[in-house]
């Protein structure tokens, strides 16, 4: 087994799993959408945990308040207000175990089996799995380089009454695209006219490698039709299982009055207290700044390698996030994923991200998990594979 530090080879003969990701030795898996092990901020979290334990206040070891640790929400609201450039009220924040957990909770509290929801085509494939757990009927809405196509949404609204629309509006996974401001306004307007929730997954919002200012959906959460989800998974560490939701108080009330929170209390008070220390020390800001510089350089390396090694690849260079969404016209990319294994390179085939088994000649490549050298080597291997199967 190989993990983030690529000089490290596990001395054990038996693989003992510790993280969700497993990459056989020698393989470069450009499909893996995880942060690089080497960028997980071990020291920052160690210091924050030490500061937390040094306070001699055990309240973070108690069952937490349903909405989430109040001191953590105040620190987070201050951080978000500075970052977004508009005030965020800690009373409108709800602490989650991350976006996956938030999606599951929203499905549990806002839908019933058989209800219709809208998703983008393509969309984050693991969200589709969560929606399947709740037996929801999925209606896909097409996207282009400017994100969700609002005219297509408008048309579908004539046919269906969705409970919610799930969107990744900024640096989308997998498409890399960002919804334009004009489309954001129209989308919000439609949600009010047709009374459906917008569930905006803003996980990549802070991983912006351009000068472009993007208004998050968090800015619209004074409306009951908009919920903004975010997470520390891509700006600190996914193992924290910590995220937040910004929403109208009525929506928060609906979520907090659940059996899950009645029984277990608020989500993740222990981790919230540690991350609060880290935010108050200014370390979150520092970590994001470092990630933006690092990932931008990796993005540039992948773009150049794709142009050099795979001239037939069709793509728009993303301005943020983790992914290139690449079209290889007329290729069955499910088969390509199998063929690529022989060249020791991994990818994710487009069909995974489609709720209707479309997108068959697309692939998703991640530039976050490996450094520039590995990215170039991986794209070179993919180029060789493509030449061999042509
Ligand atoms: C669009 C999107 N949403 C949500 C997640 C998962 O977020 P979390 O770790 O907060 O559950 C990911 C992770 O890859 C993602 O790409």
């Amino acid at each position: 087994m190989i993990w983030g530090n690529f000089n490290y080879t596990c001395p054990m003969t038996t693989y003992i799993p510790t993280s969700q990701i497993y990459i056989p030795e020698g393989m470069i898996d450009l499909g893996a959408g995880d942060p690089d092990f080497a960028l997980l901020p071990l020291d920052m979290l160690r210091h924050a945990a030490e500061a937390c334990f040094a306070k001699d206040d055990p309240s973070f070891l108690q069952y937490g308040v349903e909405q989430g640790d109040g001191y953590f929400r105040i620190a987070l609201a201050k951080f978000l207000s500075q970052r977004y450039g508009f005030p965020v009220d800690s009373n409108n924040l709800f602490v989650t175990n991350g976006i996956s957990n938030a999606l599951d909770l929203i499905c549990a509290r806002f839908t019933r089996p058989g209800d219709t929801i809208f998703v983008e085509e393509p969309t984050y494939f693991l969200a589709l799995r969560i929606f399947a757990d709740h037996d929801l009927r999925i209606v896909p809405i097409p996207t282009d380089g400017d994100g969700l196509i609002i005219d297509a949404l408008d048309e579908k609204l004539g046919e269906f009454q969705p409970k919610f629309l799930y969107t990744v509006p900024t640096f989308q996974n997998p498409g890399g695209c960002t919804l334009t401001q004009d489309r954001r306004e129209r989308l919000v307007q439609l949600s009010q006219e047709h009374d459906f929730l917008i569930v905006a997954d803003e996980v990549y919002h802070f991983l912006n490698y351009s000068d472009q200012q993007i208004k998050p959906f968090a800015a619209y959460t004074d409306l009951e039709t908009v919920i903004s989800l975010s997470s520390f998974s891509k700006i600190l560490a996914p193992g924290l299982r910590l995220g937040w939701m910004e929403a109208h108080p009525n929506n928060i009330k609906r979520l907090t009055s659940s059996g899950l929170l009645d029984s277990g209390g608020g989500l993740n008070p222990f981790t919230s207290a540690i991350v609060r220390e880290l935010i108050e020390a200014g370390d979150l800001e520092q970590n994001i700044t470092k990630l933006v510089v690092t990932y931008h350089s990796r993005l540039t390396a992948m773009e150049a390698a794709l142009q050099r090694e795979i001239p037939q690849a069709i793509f728009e260079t993303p301005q943020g996030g983790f992914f290139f969404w690449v079209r290889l016209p007329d290729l069955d990319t499910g088969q390509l994923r199998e063929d690529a294994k022989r060249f020791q390179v991994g990818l994710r085939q487009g069909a995974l991200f489609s709720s209707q088994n479309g997108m068959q000649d697309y692939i998703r490549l991640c530039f976050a998990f490996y450094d520039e050298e590995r990215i170039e080597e991986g794209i070179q291997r993919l180029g060789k594979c493509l030449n061999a199967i042509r």
Side-chain angles (χ1 to χ4, degrees), residues 33 97-101 103 124 166 168 173 201 203-204 230-234 238 241-243 323 364:
N97 287 150
I99 288 175
S100 312
N101 165 245
L103 289 174
Y124 169 50
Y166 170 67
V168 185
N173 177 4
D201 175 343
V203 68
Y204 298 107
S230 202
S231 170
F232 291 94
S233 290
K234 303 296 160 85
R241 302 315 304 139
L242 191 65
F323 305 108
R364 189 195 74 174

Side-chain angles (χ1 to χ4, degrees), residues 357-376:
N357 204 27
M359 305 283 155
Q360 305 241 356
D361 59 0
Y362 282 85
I363 56 173
R364 189 195 74 174
L365 300 171
C366 175
F367 54 83
F369 188 67
Y370 292 100
D371 64 15
E372 290 79 347
E373 201 182 320
R374 291 260 145 185
I375 288 172
E376 280 163 24

Side-chain angles (χ1 to χ4, degrees), residues 148-159:
L148 194 76
I149 300 175
I150 304 297
D151 288 340
L153 169 67
D154 203 0
E155 211 179 295
K156 287 282 185 223
L157 284 167
E159 234 179 298

Side-chain angles (χ1 to χ4, degrees), residues 182-366:
D182 175 53
R183 288 189 184 189
R184 282 170 199 245
E185 303 287 339
R186 286 187 63 204
L187 176 54
V188 170
Q189 201 181 335
L190 282 176
S191 76
Q192 300 230 276
E193 282 168 21
H194 292 265
D195 193 25
F196 65 90
L197 266 181
I198 299 169
V199 177
D201 175 343
E202 314 210 76
V203 68
Y204 298 107
H205 183 85
F206 294 128
L207 297 180
N208 182 350
Y209 319 132
S210 74
D211 299 333
Q212 196 198 347
Q213 295 284 321
I214 298 163
K215 187 170 168 180
F217 272 87
Y220 299 95
T221 50
D222 53 326
L223 303 172
E224 250 183 274
T225 57
V226 181
I227 292 181
S228 161
L229 306 181
S230 202
S231 170
F232 291 94
S233 290
K234 303 296 160 85
I235 54 175
L236 273 182
L240 295 170
R241 302 315 304 139
L242 191 65
W244 70 93
M245 181 185 300
E246 192 173 341
H248 187 281
N250 289 349
N251 289 332
I252 290 187
K253 207 158 144 199
R254 190 155 173 181
L255 290 160
T256 48
S257 48
S258 75
L260 175 74
L261 298 169
D262 257 1
S263 172
L267 301 167
N268 228 340
F270 179 81
T271 312
S272 301
I274 294 172
V275 172
R276 172 193 157 200
E277 294 293 335
L278 191 148
I279 295 174
E280 287 176 350
D283 286 352
L284 178 59
E285 188 62 50
Q286 196 188 320
N287 199 53
I288 292 174
T289 304
K290 175 182 160 186
L291 292 179
V292 166
V293 171
T294 308
Y295 289 149
H296 191 192
S297 163
R298 293 178 180 194
L299 178 154
T300 308
M302 185 171 273
E303 179 188 35
L306 278 169
Q307 284 163 348
R308 193 175 55 242
E309 307 291 340
I310 312 180
Q312 70 274 37
I314 300 170
F315 59 88
E316 284 187 39
T317 302
Q319 301 298 309
F322 269 27
F323 305 108
F324 275 83
W325 181 237
V326 179
R327 183 158 178 245
L328 299 166
D330 304 324
L331 207 72
D332 169 0
T333 57
Q335 183 56 46
L336 175 66
R337 184 173 176 181
E338 290 308 308
D339 295 334
K341 286 181 187 161
R342 283 188 282 117
F343 291 79
Q344 300 228 310
V345 62
L347 53 90
R348 294 294 174 273
Q349 69 274 29
L352 279 177
F353 304 89
S354 169
S355 55
Q356 48 187 354
N357 204 27
M359 305 283 155
Q360 305 241 356
D361 59 0
Y362 282 85
I363 56 173
R364 189 195 74 174
L365 300 171
C366 175

